[in-house]
Amino acid sequence: MITYRIQGHPVPVPEQAPPPQEGPEYEARLAEFEARIARGEKIEPTDWMPEEYRRQLIRMISQHAHSEIVGMLPEGKWIPHAPTLRRKLILIAKVQDEGGHGQLLYRAAETLGISREEMIEAFLAGKAKYSVVFNYPTPTWADVAAIGLLIDGAAVVNQLMLAQGSYGPYARAMKRICYEESFHIKQGYDAFVALATGTPAQRQMIQEAVNRWWYPALMLFGPPDRDSVHTPTLLRWRIKTKTNDQLRQEFVDQYAPMVLRLGLTIPDPNLRYDPETGHWRFSEPDWEEFWRVIKGDGPCNAERMAVRRRAHEEGRWVREALTAKAAQRTNGGGNGRYAVAGL
């Protein structure tokens, strides 16, 4: 039995076999379910929902959670090498936030009847995906600034949309996450501007980082609409409210002029503002590269997965200790604060 809190009150989510997904009763329930979504109501864990809605949410939220955890790695490596104590403290806080976001998202997914252990096992076995952008290297400090502005900026464009989605726990988690991500963008912009207005060497460093991260930022939104097999279902049930291509355009419209105003260039010869449409025209990413990285053949896929598997194994004793302590309390065991694992 999984327990979820709604407005502070514990509500059990029963674990049971899914009801039939066809027939008159199912069609009637589906019609009412879609009418609720059309009225802008939130679907909660104890509400009836189609199994495909549940499946899509588990896939999407768990992937999002994995991405937050893996996303700690590209920037986390720069914590010992930050140029100032202030930058170090800011980066520590940011990376810590990402870990917290992952935990919020795992909890949201758990309300759908899947355990955190199942999600993590699928991820470590390579059966679950995470965002393609975190499989690229960060060779200089400027990459931290570029991620803070471009990747976090793209993430917020996406997450503000998800905060309007139909599933209550996911939407509420997104609202909280977006508050913290707004800080991430500000720290990214601050570091970005410091380099862009610094010495010639610093300007060159941030320009090279922009060249590395522009197209991965466009990839963050997922495949083009023409190749996205999930988009129709996600839009139908308002798990998403905009398509991948719409979000990509929104990002370019916001962030391309921001980069150009600082006197930097964007590695796209076709990038230009179209006054007739009010939008920026741009080149699509290399989709062959996108699918290659998704399938595990990116610059850092093996490294990222090796780090996560090692961390999971090294943390096993902590999980076992906590499980033993919980069992001890459940069974009315001793009150010794440090009784577990000899602590």
Side-chain angles (χ1 to χ4, degrees):
M1 180 73 71
I2 297 173
T3 300
Y4 174 66
R5 289 185 175 273
I6 299 178
Q7 296 182 346
H9 302 290
V11 178
V13 181
E15 300 176 56
Q16 57 187 14
Q21 300 293 294
E22 58 184 13
E25 181 181 353
Y26 169 77
E27 294 298 332
R29 284 191 166 194
L30 178 62
E32 174 55 25
F33 171 82
E34 293 186 336
R36 289 186 60 195
I37 290 176
R39 293 194 295 268
E41 297 179 23
K42 297 297 184 189
I43 305 300
E44 299 296 344
T46 53
D47 294 338
W48 182 91
M49 63 186 73
E51 281 307 303
E52 180 61 12
Y53 180 82
R54 186 188 307 275
R55 188 187 72 81
Q56 288 284 359
L57 280 168
I58 289 174
R59 178 192 63 81
M60 192 165 167
I61 300 174
S62 63
Q63 177 177 305
H64 196 164
H66 303 326
S67 299
E68 296 284 355
I69 299 300
V70 177
M72 300 165 69
L73 301 177
E75 294 176 282
K77 65 174 282 188
W78 279 96
I79 289 173
H81 312 293
T84 67
L85 178 60
R86 175 174 173 268
R87 294 288 183 199
K88 184 190 295 283
L89 293 173
I90 291 171
L91 187 56
I92 289 172
K94 180 190 176 184
V95 171
Q96 179 178 273
D97 282 349
E98 305 295 5
H101 297 169
Q103 301 309 314
L104 278 174
L105 291 164
Y106 282 131
R107 190 70 188 99
E110 285 178 317
T111 66
L112 294 157
I114 187 172
S115 71
R116 190 170 309 203
E117 291 74 17
E118 289 176 289
M119 289 183 277
I120 292 175
E121 286 174 8
F123 165 61
L124 295 176
K127 298 177 181 177
K129 305 298 184 184
Y130 59 91
S131 180
V132 66
V133 301
F134 300 121
N135 288 312
Y136 289 88
T138 50
T140 73
W141 171 255
D143 292 275
V144 174
I147 289 174
L149 182 66
L150 299 177
I151 301 303
D152 290 336
V156 167
V157 168
N158 187 52
Q159 291 167 355
L160 286 171
M161 175 274 297
L162 293 173
Q164 306 304 313
S166 63
Y167 188 57
Y170 194 24
R172 288 189 289 272
M174 282 294 94
K175 288 182 179 179
R176 177 172 174 179
I177 288 171
C178 283
Y179 290 139
E180 295 181 353
E181 289 289 354
S182 65
F183 154 77
H184 298 175
I185 295 176
K186 289 177 182 177
Q187 70 84 28
Y189 183 73
D190 183 67
F192 198 97
V193 171
L195 293 171
T197 58
T199 66
Q202 288 173 323
R203 282 184 60 82
Q204 180 180 351
M205 188 165 65
I206 191 61
Q207 179 63 69
E208 291 172 353
V210 170
N211 295 346
R212 283 191 289 273
W213 288 99
W214 177 255
Y215 284 107
L218 298 185
M219 293 178 187
L220 182 142
F221 300 101
D225 293 348
R226 62 182 179 272
D227 296 331
S228 178
V229 297
H230 300 295
T231 292
T233 301
L234 298 176
L235 292 176
R236 174 186 178 185
W237 289 328
R238 288 186 65 81
I239 296 173
K240 291 179 67 170
T241 59
K242 296 178 182 177
T243 72
N244 296 349
D245 288 345
Q246 287 173 327
L247 293 167
R248 213 174 339 263
Q249 182 67 64
E250 191 173 324
F251 167 76
V252 174
D253 287 345
Q254 288 185 38
Y255 285 87
M258 193 180 301
V259 172
L260 297 175
R261 277 197 299 268
L262 290 169
L264 300 173
T265 61
I266 290 173
D268 180 358
N270 298 316
L271 182 73
R272 65 179 180 84
Y273 180 71
D274 184 343
E276 293 185 5
T277 64
H279 295 295
W280 286 76
R281 294 184 177 274
F282 60 96
S283 302
E284 292 190 354
D286 181 344
W287 294 119
E288 289 187 5
E289 176 184 330
F290 172 85
W291 291 114
R292 255 193 338 269
V293 178
I294 284 284
K295 293 175 182 177
D297 189 23
C300 298
N301 291 64
E303 176 187 340
R304 300 286 186 254
M305 291 303 299
V307 170
R308 288 308 309 148
R309 287 173 180 138
R310 184 171 67 249
H312 186 74
E313 187 58 35
E314 292 176 351
R316 183 180 301 278
W317 71 271
V318 178
R319 297 191 300 276
E320 291 175 349
L322 292 172
T323 300
K325 187 63 175 177
Q328 186 183 56
R329 288 174 177 168
T330 300
N331 297 329
N335 297 321
R337 183 178 177 186
Y338 303 104
V340 179
L343 298 180

